[in-house]
Amino acid sequence: EFEIYADIKGIPLFGKLDSFNPETKVVREIKTGKKWTQSAVDKADQLTFYSVLVFQKYGELPKRIFLDWVETIEDDELRFTGKVETFETKRDMADIISFYQRIKKAWAGIQEATKNNY
């Protein structure tokens, strides 16, 4: 795991990436459970958030982003089937800017909720 702390205009951000190389800027996430598809990986907010963190901390977008899906089945217990699929995806500045707007809105909601309740 690789922890990244970042701050965007006073909004504190924290992420715990499954794997990240700060020299090559490669992000790798590992998932079990539900079947992942390329389309789902391309839309995954978690990977976009990680891209925001990398950009904010290092000043550049991840060079490569991977999601490794490790198939599991559950009968009496959770077991790996041995099947692994790797998907590669990308995020661009439009994705970062759009996601930043969501972060800003969420932060405003958090500020409002805590102001009224604490």
Side-chain angles (χ1 to χ4, degrees), residues 2-52:
F2 189 90
E3 295 181 353
I4 298 180
Y5 295 88
D7 182 276
I8 300 178
K9 297 182 181 180
I11 302 172
L13 301 174
F14 170 72
K16 203 178 249 193
L17 292 68
D18 284 344
S19 178
F20 175 68
N21 183 322
E23 292 178 20
T24 62
K25 309 298 183 286
V26 174
V27 172
R28 182 164 235 117
E29 180 67 14
I30 301 168
K31 294 290 187 193
T32 60
K34 74 168 188 153
K35 177 159 178 47
W36 281 84
T37 64
Q38 186 66 55
S39 176
V41 173
D42 291 341
K43 295 173 189 170
D45 286 341
Q46 184 178 9
L47 297 175
T48 307
F49 179 66
Y50 289 169
S51 297
V52 168

Side-chain angles (χ1 to χ4, degrees), residues 10-102:
I11 302 172
L13 301 174
F14 170 72
K16 203 178 249 193
L17 292 68
D18 284 344
S19 178
F20 175 68
N21 183 322
E23 292 178 20
T24 62
K25 309 298 183 286
V26 174
V27 172
R28 182 164 235 117
E29 180 67 14
I30 301 168
K31 294 290 187 193
T32 60
K34 74 168 188 153
K35 177 159 178 47
W36 281 84
T37 64
Q38 186 66 55
S39 176
V41 173
D42 291 341
K43 295 173 189 170
D45 286 341
Q46 184 178 9
L47 297 175
T48 307
F49 179 66
Y50 289 169
S51 297
V52 168
L53 288 171
V54 169
F55 180 76
Q56 191 61 32
K57 179 83 175 184
Y58 298 97
E60 59 185 284
L61 293 170
K63 300 283 189 236
R64 299 180 82 183
I65 305 167
F66 297 97
L67 183 140
D68 298 314
W69 171 58
V70 181
E71 185 180 55
T72 56
I73 56 172
E74 190 171 352
D75 38 33
D76 292 337
E77 60 187 68
L78 187 66
R79 294 183 293 122
F80 297 109
T81 66
K83 179 180 178 182
V84 177
E85 283 188 52
T86 297
F87 301 92
E88 186 170 2
T89 188
K90 292 189 179 294
R91 298 298 185 271
D92 60 24
M93 281 308 297
D95 297 318
I96 301 304
I97 292 166
S98 175
F99 205 80
Y100 171 67
Q101 296 306 317
R102 291 177 58 193

